[in-house]
Amino acid sequence: MNSTEQSTAQGPLAADHVEAHLIARFQAGDSEAFTLLVNRFGIDLAAYVSCNCPRGLAHEDVTQHVWMQVWKHREEFKPHFFRAWLYRIAKNFIINHYRKKREEFLSEEVDPAARELDPEDPRLDALRDCLDSLDGPFIEVIRLQQQAASTKEIAVQLSISDGTVGSRGNRGKQLLRECVERKMQ
């Protein structure tokens, strides 16, 4: 093996060693090492977040949150697979965002007690009209949900799985939303 092949063969090993040393310094609380890691992985992380982030969620905020979590939990990190750990933090944050949005949506759109409407609000009349005029398995689930039936109770009553209750409920909400929008035009 000539000297060029030898140095090329050592390249990745040397880079891994430098990265491992940098991570060790970062875990010990070295802010300069943290800055170097941000510089080294920041562009790739920002691209990952940008590709996986829902509309309405600022990519920069997510990226900053990830880096804050990395710093906060640096002592818990096992020194291998830093990039995977970084992306896992980003992925978990995005998943949690979707969960929170879903919970907010469900509480606002399905649970009448979660948000009171003015009895004079024309949307309320449109919603009532839509509930009366629409039919089918999707609306049936919505009607049962309005009666405060649990997912399990609805599944048993309709002889369907819990997952199907959720799917039909989501589709029913979509149909109601579209109906109300048409009536409000």
Side-chain angles (χ1 to χ4, degrees):
M1 185 182 299
N2 67 35
S3 63
T4 306
E5 291 171 330
Q6 198 171 23
S7 67
T8 304
Q10 292 175 357
L13 293 176
D16 287 346
H17 178 70
V18 168
E19 189 172 298
H21 179 68
L22 192 58
I23 290 169
R25 286 179 39 211
F26 150 72
Q27 285 187 288
D30 184 340
S31 61
E32 183 181 331
F34 177 67
T35 301
L36 292 170
L37 287 171
V38 170
N39 291 338
R40 185 175 198 143
F41 295 101
I43 292 173
D44 290 342
L45 175 64
Y48 174 83
V49 167
S50 178
C51 290
N52 291 286
C53 220
R55 276 184 279 162
L57 187 60
H59 306 144
E60 298 84 10
D61 292 346
V62 173
T63 304
Q64 182 177 3
H65 173 81
V66 170
W67 285 116
M68 288 187 320
Q69 292 302 308
V70 165
W71 179 258
K72 182 179 176 182
H73 298 284
R74 68 187 177 276
E75 294 170 355
E76 299 166 22
F77 171 67
K78 308 290 185 269
H80 306 291
F81 310 112
F82 182 79
R83 182 183 306 266
W85 183 59
L86 187 65
Y87 286 16
R88 173 54 67 185
I89 293 170
K91 182 179 179 179
N92 288 344
F93 181 82
I94 293 167
I95 288 170
N96 287 338
H97 173 77
Y98 277 118
R99 284 184 185 141
K100 286 177 188 171
K101 284 296 180 191
R102 182 174 182 269
E103 289 167 8
E104 288 171 13
F105 173 78
L106 290 175
S107 69
E108 289 177 5
E109 297 298 327
V110 174
D111 184 1
R115 189 180 87 193
E116 289 192 28
L117 291 175
D118 178 3
E120 303 299 318
D121 190 333
R123 294 177 299 169
L124 192 55
D125 289 332
L127 180 59
R128 285 186 188 120
D129 289 347
C130 289
L131 277 168
D132 290 341
S133 66
L134 292 173
D135 203 11
F138 307 117
I139 300 303
E140 185 177 19
V141 168
I142 296 295
R143 286 190 182 112
L144 290 169
Q145 288 174 333
Q146 281 184 309
Q147 297 168 11
S150 72
T151 300
K152 190 58 113 181
E153 292 168 335
I154 295 169
V156 168
Q157 184 174 344
L158 299 178
S159 300
I160 58 177
S161 72
D162 293 0
T164 302
V165 171
S167 298
R168 287 184 183 179
N170 288 334
R171 180 68 176 127
K173 285 184 283 187
Q174 182 181 357
L175 290 171
L176 282 174
R177 197 175 308 113
E178 291 167 359
C179 179
V180 169
E181 286 174 4
R182 282 192 305 273
K183 289 188 178 289
M184 296 305 297
Q185 292 178 352

